[in-house]
Amino acid sequence: MDTELMRAWRVRRPGAMSTHPLRQMRESLPRPAADELVVRVLACGVCRTDLHVTEGDIPVHRPGVVPGHEVVGQVISGGDGGPFETGQRVGIAWLRRTCGQCRYCIRGSENLCPQSLYTGWDADGGYADYTTVPADYAYPLPDGYPDTELAPLLCAGIIGWRALVRANLPPGGRLALYGFGASAHLTAQIALAQGATVHVLTRSPQARELALELGATSVGGAADVPPEPVDSAILFAPAGGLVPSALSALDRGGTLALAGIHLTDIPVLHYQQHLFQERQIRSVTANTRQDGHDFLHFAAEHRLHVETTHYPLDQADAALTDLAADRVHGAAVLIP
Ligand SMILES: [Zn+2]
Ligand SMILES: [Zn+2]
């Protein structure tokens, strides 16, 4: 056991995927902190945030970090006496630690904790054979889904859930989704299950087809106008240039939620056209553990259709390259 080595992809020098910022290492198994589980990775989703970490769109927090924060794994050690048992399947998500004491944590907004830490950014994540997680931040997972379909739920799904909450969608409301990748295709299903009408705007013809199959009322190109004014819109594409069209699509009193951690610059807005009549823009910052539990509970009750494209762990760089080029259908998932 002492000599056992594992594979782990590390961000050597953040930069465009064409510069090969990731390198696969052979290294010892991770050493857990006292409150952490060691987990054997069964599947790890590939999130756009991994691309931002790898390409350097967001600042380096841990040099040489192992990306990956949609981890489905099996508890190998650390479970005894805690909430999880050895051998149990658990989920590891983006939010890794919070202080529990600041004004945000105390009021139930731990996603805003200034001392929060993140998996695959502040600590090594799931682009590896093994990883660790603080037991208090791991999730029990619903039955009825294979590992590869659970992985995207852990960020794409949870963030979509929170974005939908932030978008203030009224019961039976009209929702526009800009971009239709891993997160949006899950969010659409949540909204549809809640009785919403969903319009999808995306440049990918394959994604438009999937949107219609899942029950969207209309589909259009990235900057097209939905066929009716909407109560809520969510921008999943990291394209600030789409903000004015998304605001223009809102009905009076409507809300636009910006779901990404990174967005290109937003063009100048016109007050009368884009904001007056109480149209609102809201950002979405990570999620609380409560969001995660609420969403996974929903996923247990409503079997979601999770569109995945599989890559062996050895092809993590290819998966991120495909994501950068918008070539991934649904959610990319790495399998060790
Ligand atoms: Zn805090
Ligand atoms: Zn993510």
Side-chain angles (χ1 to χ4, degrees):
M1 201 62 186
D2 289 347
T3 55
E4 193 180 349
L5 296 179
M6 69 164 192
R7 297 167 293 172
W9 286 93
R10 294 192 174 275
V11 181
R12 211 165 35 114
R13 179 182 298 178
M17 289 311 296
S18 58
T19 67
H20 300 290
L22 280 178
R23 175 172 289 178
Q24 195 188 87
M25 320 292 281
R26 295 259 163 195
E27 57 186 51
S28 309
L29 268 55
R31 292 226 183 94
D35 63 347
E36 290 182 342
L37 310 171
V38 177
V39 168
R40 182 167 69 86
V41 179
L42 301 170
C44 181
V46 176
C47 173
R48 188 167 289 279
T49 299
D50 304 339
L51 191 59
H52 295 317
V53 168
T54 304
E55 295 203 307
D57 298 322
I58 59 177
V60 173
H61 275 194
R62 173 176 163 81
V65 72
V66 177
H69 55 272
E70 295 180 317
V71 184
V72 174
Q74 188 181 30
V75 177
I76 296 298
S77 69
D80 307 324
F84 299 102
E85 290 167 22
T86 301
Q88 188 176 346
R89 187 166 73 161
V90 295
I92 305 175
W94 177 238
L95 186 74
R96 185 173 187 86
R97 287 186 188 276
T98 53
C99 79
Q101 293 166 3
C102 69
R103 68 176 64 230
Y104 312 100
C105 282
I106 286 169
R107 75 178 194 215
S109 304
E110 65 178 356
N111 61 310
L112 302 179
C113 176
Q115 302 197 57
S116 55
L117 297 177
Y118 298 92
T119 306
W121 193 22
D122 297 289
D124 290 338
Y127 286 25
D129 288 309
Y130 293 86
T131 191
T132 62
V133 63
D136 286 347
Y137 291 79
Y139 293 92
L141 295 170
D143 296 327
Y145 291 85
D147 303 331
T148 50
E149 292 189 30
L150 284 173
L153 301 187
L154 290 161
C155 180
I158 295 173
I159 293 294
W161 176 270
R162 184 167 183 96
L164 195 57
V165 172
R166 295 281 296 160
N168 276 337
L169 182 66
R174 303 154 295 173
L175 173 69
L177 300 178
Y178 290 82
F180 203 71
S183 194
H185 92 286
L186 297 170
T187 310
Q189 295 175 68
I190 302 166
L192 288 163
Q194 293 172 348
T197 301
V198 176
H199 302 287
V200 171
L201 302 123
T202 177
R203 63 184 174 187
S204 157
Q206 207 183 2
R208 290 200 286 267
E209 204 172 295
L210 175 62
L212 290 173
E213 279 168 26
L214 292 175
T217 295
S218 82
V219 292
D224 283 354
V225 180
E228 60 179 340
V230 295
D231 304 295
S232 303
I234 304 174
L235 181 60
F236 287 101
L242 292 175
V243 167
S245 25
L247 286 170
S248 302
L250 293 178
D251 202 349
R252 294 172 173 223
T255 301
L256 167 64
L258 308 175
I261 190 172
H262 169 78
L263 191 67
T264 58
D265 285 346
I266 299 173
V268 171
L269 298 175
H270 186 269
Y271 183 64
Q272 290 293 334
Q273 187 187 345
H274 297 128
L275 294 169
F276 196 57
Q277 302 295 355
E278 303 198 344
R279 294 180 179 88
Q280 307 186 59
I281 309 183
R282 307 176 88 187
S283 65
V284 179
T285 300
N287 61 273
T288 64
R289 279 172 285 176
Q290 190 61 50
D291 293 323
H293 290 296
D294 289 348
F295 168 65
L296 290 169
H297 181 72
F298 177 90
E301 311 258 290
H302 302 79
R303 178 60 166 87
L304 298 169
H305 172 94
V306 190
E307 195 75 16
T308 56
T309 301
H310 298 178
Y311 294 82
L313 175 62
D314 289 340
Q315 289 177 23
D317 53 349
L320 279 180
T321 301
D322 287 350
L323 184 63
D326 276 338
R327 282 195 299 258
V328 176
H329 186 58
V333 179
L334 305 177
I335 304 171

